[in-house]
Amino acid sequence: MAGTCFCFDLDGTVTRAELLPMIASEINLEQEMSLLTRLTMDGLIPFEDSFRLRFAILRSAGLERIRSVVAEVELDPDIAAFIADNRDRCFIVTGNLDVWVEPLMQKLGCTFYTSTSQMSANGDVQLKHIMRKNVPGLELKERFDRVVAVGDGYNDLPLFDVADVGVAYNGVHASPDALISVADYVTMNGKGLCRLLSTL
Amino acid sequence: MSIVEHAVVAAAGLGSRLGHGKPKCLVEFGGVSVLAHIMSLLKDVPDVRVVVGFMEAAVIAELQRVRPDAIVVRNPSFRTTTTLHSYALGAQHLTGDCLFMDADLLIVPETFHTFLEGCRPGEARLALTASKTKDAVYAELDGEAVTGFRRENPTAFEWSNISWLPVKYFTDIGMTAVYEHLRRYLPMTSGEVVSFEIDTAEDLAQAKENAQLFGLAAT
């Protein structure tokens, strides 16, 4: 396949709120989660370690409860519409877990690359593989002439590194300087982002 | 209404000749930044792209406040390139015609809108202003057509650093000033605006004397 494809981060880019803190607030672990989020955002804990810890905190909420929170999250209407119009060349590339974000796979209807889980014999969700975003980025580069990456966090750096065009997204919170320093563009809401994407 | 769909605003420079230690577009007039003024002038242009470099975080923060649907284009090599490079980066991926302007301008709004309304598809057009700045690029005119640029021997009008140009003019650029690059496309039609550039302390003082002209209270 030729042409341009678009890789979107999920939390705080396509969704108008970060999903993990939303789940944490359901089980009254907001403070613990926000400390961990801050340490991760400040680059003090690598994303993979942070995600393992966050997974350990949040799994106690139970799969159904997590999915019901995820299903309720508000999507950016402009970005969701862009994805709907370009389903075969839009991809979600997220560190979030496959079984947790499943409700959004159905809503958005495009292919997701996620961290993966497996069910243990007693029905527990266990972490199988944590997403490294350069892997799907390189895979998509084989299929498309050009890869455009859109994201807002440190864990988007490996994707920006392999993408042809990087767009830092400040629509929900400011992207870290490290991400902006490797970006070609910065956009500040879904309208501006989609106007840019429609010209790429 | 004008036909202008795209605007590229160059806001990457150091502003060292003004020497305020911040980008010129963040200089304030009565609490209104020059960038807020420019964004207010461009409020009816759907696609606005602002090229940033020096102190980009501060420029992005101001832009987020005044025009959150603007597209920020990064020029990481702002220290070693000219505005021409910023224009080329800003117009990358666009087609057709685009308004190009600098972000260190104060403009009388009515004259700016009249200029935009006079823009036609495929017809390159320069905005001129009465000569006044210290480091002017003077326009040589034949009627309304600009036939040449010069730095010495002042003429009645200088180029205001506002232009309506086909994007393709920027596909092949060198390390020159914008007006030098545009010479190859002369003659071009022109229209007059009342604008003040704030390149130097003298320019800024002159603009401040005329601050009541720029509709800043409405920004």
Side-chain angles (χ1 to χ4, degrees), chain A residues 146 165 170-171 174 177 180-189 191-193 195-196 199-200, chain B residues 6 46-49 56-57 60 63-64 67-74 76 89 92-94:
Chain A
R146 191 167 60 156
V165 181
N170 283 10
D177 291 345
I180 290 180
S181 74
V182 297
D184 300 290
Y185 297 94
V186 183
T187 57
M188 299 164 290
N189 67 20
K191 196 173 152 197
L193 172 66
R195 188 175 292 130
L196 169 64
T199 60
L200 291 177
Chain B
H6 310 286
D47 182 347
V48 173
R49 303 184 177 212
E56 62 179 335
I60 291 170
L63 207 51
Q64 183 134 23
R67 181 76 197 243
D69 71 328
I71 295 165
V72 175
V73 184
R74 297 187 63 250
L89 275 177
Q92 212 176 9
H93 309 301
L94 291 176

Side-chain angles (χ1 to χ4, degrees), chain A residues 59 118-126:
Chain A
R59 64 189 298 187
Q118 60 192 12
M119 287 285 182
S120 70
N122 60 8
D124 274 352
V125 177
Q126 293 177 331

